[in-house]
Amino acid sequence: MSNKAAPEPKANMGGPVIRKEARLKVTGEARYGSDMPVNNPAFAYLITSSIARGTIKSIDLAEAKAVPGVLEIFTHENTGELKKVSYGANGGGSTTSIQDFGPKIQHDGQIVGMVVANTFEAAREAAYKAKFAYDVQPPSAGFDSKGVDESSVKKKLPNAGDVKELYDAAAVKFEASYGTPTEHHNPIELFTTTAVWNNDQLTVYEPSQFMHGLKNNVAAKLGIEPGQVHTISNFVGGAFGAKAQLTPRTGLVALAARKLNRPVKLVAARDQGFTIATYRAETRHNIRIGAGRDGKIASFEHEGWEVTSRPDSYSVAGVEDSARLYGFASVKTGVTLIHADRNTPGFMRSPPVVPYIYALESAMDELAVKLAMDPIELRRVNDSMTDATGKQWSSRSLMKCYDEGAAAFGWSKRTAAPGSMSDGEWLIGYGCASAVYPTHIGAATARVQFNADGRANVQLAAHEIGTGVMTVVAQMAAERLGIPVEQVQVELGDSKFPPVPVAGGSNQTASCCSVVMQACDAIMEKLNGGRAETVGGGSADGVRQKFDRLGVSTLEQYSEFVPGDARPNPVVGLVTNPIKKLYDGVPTLVGGSHGEKLMYALGANFVEVRVPKYTREIRVPRLVGAFASGRIMNTRTARSQHMGAMIWGISSALHEATEIDERNARYTNDNLADYLIPVNADIKQLDVIMVPETDNSVNPAGVKGIGELGNVGTAAAVANAVYHATGVRVRELPIRLEKLLA
Amino acid sequence: MRPFHYVKANDLPGALQAFAPQNDPTNAAPSVNAATQYLAGGTTLIDLMKLDVMRPATVTDINALDQSKAGQIEFGDNGLRLGALVRMSQAADHEAVKSNFPVIAQSLQLAASAQIRNMASLGGNVLQRTRCTYFRDTSYDNCNKRNPGSGCAAMDGMNRNLAVLGTSNDCIASYPGDFAQALIALDAMVEIAGSAGTRMMPFAQLHRAPGSTPQIETTLTQGELITAFQIPNLPWGKRSLYLKIRDRASYEFALASAAIALDLDNGTVRDVRIALGGVSAQPWRAAEAEALLKGKPIDDTMLLAAADKAFEGARPKKHNAFKVQLGKATLMRALRDAATMTI
């Protein structure tokens, strides 16, 4: 039965199968990392620095150790066994680039100690009583601070044609600067680690987006063999990139458990989550466009600036994608890094495109105004299957998304002049913008067992971070084996299962479904006597007959999938054997702009904003998103992904910003009351349209990942709608009411 | 959170007794350092104890008092009496409150979340402490509210949410609540029990301006307990409202708010009450703006004049300067809305 939450599948779409873990989740029975029962745990509480730059002068733990129940307090003075873990040159994207607990302090909220006690309350009380004295040096907080270092991004960025000549010759010229703020993921599930030793075997329960990465990195951190480490993460209560990599807490908890010979459980506080993991750093952009009167863009320049930590050259460099979204005749791009006394930023949902496409799509709207052209038509004029460097798109349904979205939204009712639409005291604005996300695929492995009774079991170390991977993998297996989805069991979230890539870059559905498809097809080939006959086993009796014919009751297949285009990933360096690397905790992701063809999922966002004439608080009563992304495995989970993402887009447009006290480089609104995100009352009507698209060249499953598509275009669409409502162009996110008060 | 003694009071004398002087030899007015604290809904107290901002040695649970008059709502010839242990949601949903004093119901309904409104008592609500992040983060030593004489980290810090009215050179913390604005606009009295008996005081005298002693937030003396709010009958209280402006539609403290009650005679203001929230260090009555409007028509000129008057003494800082214009716009919109209300 279809309803709004379970849309009727269109061409190349799977049915709205209910999540396998739905009942567990709604009844509270799904066990997250810190829910896992362990025997007689001790409880840990972190102590974090109150300065951003300097040195620990002295540590006085007398009062803290006197708290009844305290077992031990760990600081840099008694944790020297922990090894340095290497992080990728040219951007580790992980706080692991700053691993020390002292004496050097490199950012606000750096872990300087950890209390372990018999109870959580005692550990917290002792943490409050631990006294750290510092020699403070004046820190640099960000872009406008004194004392920052500068470096340029070493990645090869798109440059083609003579932008200067074409700009000078252009009939219409446009240039503007944009900015995006610091943001933190704030998954509802906090950063937790539980470590249990059994002789020399370590089990780590920790919410993770990469089971085998965590396993290998923990081993390196402790100087033990990866085979001694078992990582478990059955469910993850939100990750968004924050749980993709090793952070310093994990080694510390594991070491404490070994020293105390007792399981240790850490649940870091919400404010600590702002500084012990990664975040989205602030960015700035300058865009220069030269266009013809017909809107055709001849010259496109996009220069970006990003903040990172002192030691790490992490960058997102979304010019890679902004320079290719339209058929520009020439492009010039560059990215500069500003190194400040901050924790290292890292992946956060749609890392490159959220800031860079916001800038591009705001500029497109401004250009449309300058040309007196409908903004959708400007996109149409520049829609092209070829980018400025000559690369071809594998498939591209951008204008289909615009056309379906515009019709559903009622774009034709829009009158072009700013401030021309209103309802009483409320000004109304309509805005639109494009969404784009590179289609990634990675080497992956899986084991499938198919039984004569028609039941199948799939094992792979995939990550149920809320995306529905357990369900879509079951759907793929059911389809290839020709059995009902209820007969497929999927086991994941555990390093004892075959590895799959990090659940990042929206590759998980594509990678996991591709390898499971390969394993299932191998089983069916055996069942069908080596003949590549019809896929699917048919009736229950049919399945049993085939097993009987082979004289076995079960068939098991372990498969390794390597994408045809598996070439070296510039982030991780040379990759010779992607499967071996994967077992070693290094994923190989290909796709996007790096292959022979440009592989991207696309979409169009439409929003209506309402702004009262005088008080100027901004509300978004209506939004529509239309997305085309190859095969949709499950219309229910896909819609849910898009919906959450679009709401996040509202958040990044209007609400989210981590505030930094410039004087001391510290985050001030490090809690969910002051770090604003939309609440239910902010979201009134939200419609997701999935536009059918087929592109089997991207990967065997034909899937373009969607996890990070829906939040890309929303911010610019809101900004454009705010301009349409008020005539005020805000070029710095978030758009808060003070920016609209004249 | 540090260990503390938990005492459950069964009645008012029990509650007051738990606050015996030996529990707090300093005998100072309540502050974050008071050795004994009353616990009702706990939505502020427990929060601040977890943050290590408040460290009481004894917590006296007064929730059993909601079986007494302190837990009741009465409406009659003497006006509206709201017991201090009435929960926010109870008062917001009460028919007599909604129909006679919409400003009270709205101020409560627009505050916090449903879960918090179900827990938080009215007495605790008016004593809610500032949301100033430097007050709430003990890693900052310089907070005059927590450590008198240590300075104010917020003065030149991230102060978007903080006050522009009623501040001092020592503190710019804003009063976060909503309900108090309704009470102050309606000339409410507050009933206070203490060891010497029960006294009544104008609610407007409950909160103190920060001045040079921002650590002393109210005029309650040690051990005193708010037991009720008495709101006098106001026939034109039906034409009252609470307008709350904030970044998101719910679950956020006011950037600016206005509690308005308006007595209108053919478009002319016979009488008006104005209280402002989100912009001030304590619940703020805009008495001069009220005086200016009396006998005048509700038109753009008069509204602007009243708004200018209300924010005459504003002292904006770097990140909250917008609150002057926003506060004025909020006040004008609230007055216009009140004037066009269908009663």
Side-chain angles (χ1 to χ4, degrees), chain A residues 290-353:
Chain A
R293 297 224 177 273
D294 59 357
K296 199 98 182 82
I297 295 172
S299 162
F300 175 74
E301 293 171 75
H302 192 167
E303 188 170 9
W305 290 264
E306 304 175 20
V307 164
T308 183
S309 65
R310 291 278 183 194
D312 200 308
S313 55
Y314 176 78
S315 73
V316 298
V319 290
E320 185 66 62
D321 310 303
S322 67
R324 304 181 193 277
L325 182 52
Y326 300 108
F328 306 126
S330 66
V331 295
K332 180 165 181 269
T333 64
V335 177
T336 303
L337 294 177
I338 302 297
H339 297 265
D341 297 300
R342 299 270 297 279
N343 49 327
T344 304
F347 314 126
M348 182 162 156
R349 199 173 192 174
S350 341
V353 280

Side-chain angles (χ1 to χ4, degrees), chain A residues 45 50 63 121 124-125 128-129 271 425-426 612 614-619 654-655 659-664 666-679 681-682 684 736-738 741-742, chain B residues 1-3 49-52 131 133-134 136-140 142 152-158 160-161 243-253 255 300 319 322-323 325-326 329-330 333 336-337:
Chain A
Y45 199 91
S50 60
E63 204 191 334
E121 288 75 14
R124 182 170 59 184
E125 181 189 352
Y128 284 142
K129 288 179 172 172
D271 62 328
E425 178 160 354
W426 292 78
Y614 303 108
T615 50
R616 298 273 168 166
E617 70 274 21
I618 306 152
R619 299 291 179 256
L654 301 178
H655 301 302
E659 287 168 3
I660 303 162
D661 191 326
E662 183 69 29
R663 301 168 301 178
N664 52 30
R666 302 189 63 194
Y667 301 136
T668 56
N669 59 338
D670 52 1
N671 61 78
L672 284 181
D674 294 310
Y675 185 92
L676 299 178
I677 54 172
V679 294
D682 288 299
K684 307 287 189 198
R736 290 194 171 154
L737 55 79
E738 56 262 46
L741 288 167
Chain B
M1 193 183 286
R2 302 180 183 223
M49 285 170 69
K50 285 181 178 175
L51 294 173
D52 209 32
R131 297 291 307 188
T133 56
Y134 300 97
R136 291 170 58 83
D137 184 347
T138 58
S139 72
Y140 285 89
N142 45 341
C152 173
M155 201 65 69
D156 300 309
M158 302 307 289
R160 177 177 189 256
N161 295 340
L243 177 65
K244 183 172 181 178
I245 304 299
R246 44 188 165 177
D247 297 296
R248 63 185 176 195
S250 181
Y251 197 47
E252 189 187 353
F253 295 94
L255 289 171
D300 286 354
H319 299 289
F322 74 95
K323 282 194 173 185
Q325 192 186 338
L326 179 66
T330 304
R333 182 171 150 195
R336 267 196 303 268
D337 287 354

Side-chain angles (χ1 to χ4, degrees), chain A residues 446-460 477-478 481 483 487-491 498 516 519-520 523-524 526-527 543 547 553-559:
Chain A
R447 184 180 297 112
V448 177
Q449 192 182 53
F450 192 28
N451 301 316
D453 66 358
R455 296 190 169 274
N457 190 41
V458 182
Q459 292 179 329
L460 73 179
L481 300 173
I483 54 176
Q487 286 170 220
V488 182
Q489 174 179 295
V490 178
E491 295 181 273
V516 167
C520 291
I523 287 175
M524 293 312 290
K526 283 183 207 165
L527 267 188
V543 172
F547 275 94
S553 59
T554 186
L555 281 173
E556 190 174 290
Q557 176 70 38
Y558 163 79
S559 284

Side-chain angles (χ1 to χ4, degrees), chain A residues 173-366:
Chain A
K173 295 181 169 71
F174 170 77
E175 183 166 7
S177 298
Y178 304 90
T180 64
T182 314
E183 293 179 353
H184 277 79
H185 316 69
N186 277 310
I188 287 301
E189 183 197 26
L190 296 162
F191 295 101
T192 81
T193 301
T194 303
V196 183
W197 288 87
N198 188 355
N199 297 320
D200 63 351
Q201 294 291 312
L202 170 66
T203 303
V204 175
Y205 302 95
E206 178 173 307
S208 173
Q209 293 173 257
F210 191 25
M211 301 316 299
H212 284 261
L214 182 63
K215 172 192 163 105
N216 282 277
N217 279 317
V218 169
K221 190 77 198 163
L222 296 167
I224 59 177
E225 290 302 313
Q228 291 172 254
V229 182
H230 181 191
T231 55
I232 300 176
S233 179
N234 295 145
F235 295 108
V236 181
F240 315 116
K243 293 165 179 170
Q245 288 170 295
L246 185 75
T247 65
R249 74 182 193 275
T250 309
L252 188 56
V253 174
L255 180 70
R258 189 166 71 188
K259 286 195 166 187
L260 295 168
N261 194 26
R262 186 172 165 185
V264 172
K265 182 180 282 198
L266 169 74
V267 178
R270 174 64 62 188
D271 62 328
Q272 294 172 340
F274 279 71
T275 61
I276 65 164
T278 62
Y279 62 98
R280 194 196 303 281
E282 56 270 40
T283 67
R284 287 180 177 171
H285 307 261
N286 194 68
I287 288 185
R288 203 158 80 133
I289 298 176
R293 297 224 177 273
D294 59 357
K296 199 98 182 82
I297 295 172
S299 162
F300 175 74
E301 293 171 75
H302 192 167
E303 188 170 9
W305 290 264
E306 304 175 20
V307 164
T308 183
S309 65
R310 291 278 183 194
D312 200 308
S313 55
Y314 176 78
S315 73
V316 298
V319 290
E320 185 66 62
D321 310 303
S322 67
R324 304 181 193 277
L325 182 52
Y326 300 108
F328 306 126
S330 66
V331 295
K332 180 165 181 269
T333 64
V335 177
T336 303
L337 294 177
I338 302 297
H339 297 265
D341 297 300
R342 299 270 297 279
N343 49 327
T344 304
F347 314 126
M348 182 162 156
R349 199 173 192 174
S350 341
V353 280
V354 156
Y356 283 84
I357 297 301
Y358 153 71
L360 167 63
E361 289 300 289
S362 296
M364 290 296 280
D365 199 70
E366 296 207 55

Side-chain angles (χ1 to χ4, degrees), chain A residues 482-497:
Chain A
I483 54 176
V485 69
E486 294 76 22
Q487 286 170 220
V488 182
Q489 174 179 295
V490 178
E491 295 181 273
L492 43 67
D494 193 316
S495 65
K496 75 184 177 198
F497 299 136

